[in-house]
Amino acid sequence: MTALLHLHVDAQFASPYALSVFVALHEKGLAFELSSVDLAARENRAAGFSRLSLTRRVPTLVHGDFALSESSAITEYLDELFPGTPLYPSAPRDRARARQLQAWLRSDLMPIRVERSTEVLFYGPTQAPLSEAARSAAATLFEVIETLLPTDAEHLFGAWSVADLDAALMLNRLRLNGDAVPPRLAAYAAAQWQRPSVQRWVRMERPPL
């Protein structure tokens, strides 16, 4: 029987945005089919996928006759539509702050994203040192997460949310590469990375680069 939900992700299973939606589906306990799109071969520009995905990007989630791309739009859609583990905080201000954090992590910190790509997470570390710009971006990242993470807390907003995944992923770009991360943040990122839904993605069999 065909699953009602169908998730399209990158062929390397390395996209942080695909990871976010994959984890959200597992946290909600939803059955879904998974397909990979070879971005290097421009399969996302092929007629079939470009007709399906408005922005021609992964992840794209198909729900019946509705297709949606952009990871934060997808996770908000899933949270509004399905029961199960909440993906966002229930308090309006915390929910707004979580969405703010997601938007910032996706739009800023470019030196970290370039110099510590997600290949570091899934294919192994790089020996290249961080540039001054990346070190500055890391200092900003640490300051923001330190401000949001309460003392002795496991999560940013009381219970787990998808914002914890996104924050931990950015920290893990550094931590898993052996770059210096403040101990409290390193412990937080390590704990988030061991969440079963995250480990399902981490353990995916990947093609060589």
Side-chain angles (χ1 to χ4, degrees):
M1 181 176 177
T2 302
L4 181 63
L5 294 163
H6 194 131
L7 178 63
H8 298 265
V9 302
D10 61 303
Q12 271 68 46
F13 304 105
S15 164
Y17 313 115
L19 164 62
S20 184
V21 176
F22 179 91
V23 166
L25 288 163
H26 279 289
E27 292 290 341
K28 287 289 186 185
L30 297 170
F32 65 97
E33 292 183 345
L34 186 69
S35 295
S36 62
V37 179
D38 189 339
L39 303 180
R42 297 178 63 81
E43 287 183 358
N44 58 311
R45 295 286 176 176
F49 190 78
S50 63
R51 284 196 301 268
L52 178 71
S53 176
L54 179 64
T55 58
R56 302 177 184 180
R57 283 153 60 106
V58 295
T60 290
L61 180 75
V62 180
H63 180 206
D65 61 355
F66 179 64
L68 185 65
S69 54
E70 306 306 316
S71 58
S72 58
I74 297 171
T75 53
E76 289 180 28
Y77 175 76
L78 292 172
D79 212 28
E80 291 173 1
L81 204 60
F82 294 103
T85 300
L87 303 178
Y88 289 90
S90 58
R93 289 188 177 184
D94 285 346
R95 188 163 60 249
R97 187 70 77 196
R99 287 170 172 164
Q100 178 191 28
L101 178 62
Q102 279 190 301
W104 178 68
L105 290 168
R106 284 160 167 73
S107 62
D108 205 336
L109 307 172
M110 183 58 76
I112 298 175
R113 289 188 279 145
V114 169
E115 297 179 33
R116 298 295 182 261
S117 76
T118 50
E119 291 178 10
V120 164
L121 301 174
F122 306 117
Y123 284 94
T126 175
Q127 299 302 313
L130 289 171
S131 67
E132 182 177 348
R135 291 195 300 272
S136 176
T140 302
L141 171 66
F142 300 155
E143 182 178 354
V144 169
I145 305 303
E146 285 276 15
T147 299
L148 290 176
L149 184 63
T151 303
D152 298 327
E154 294 183 15
H155 308 296
L156 296 171
F157 305 106
W160 178 88
S161 75
V162 72
D164 286 297
L165 170 63
D166 290 349
L169 188 143
M170 189 61 76
L171 291 168
N172 277 323
R173 291 174 186 259
L174 301 165
R175 183 185 72 87
L176 292 176
N177 196 69
D179 301 303
V181 175
R184 186 169 86 101
L185 299 187
Y188 162 75
Q192 296 298 327
W193 207 240
Q194 292 305 312
R195 195 170 180 88
S197 58
V198 178
Q199 282 296 303
R200 282 176 179 260
W201 180 269
V202 172
R203 293 193 297 266
M204 296 285 278
E205 185 175 345
R206 292 175 171 80
L209 289 174

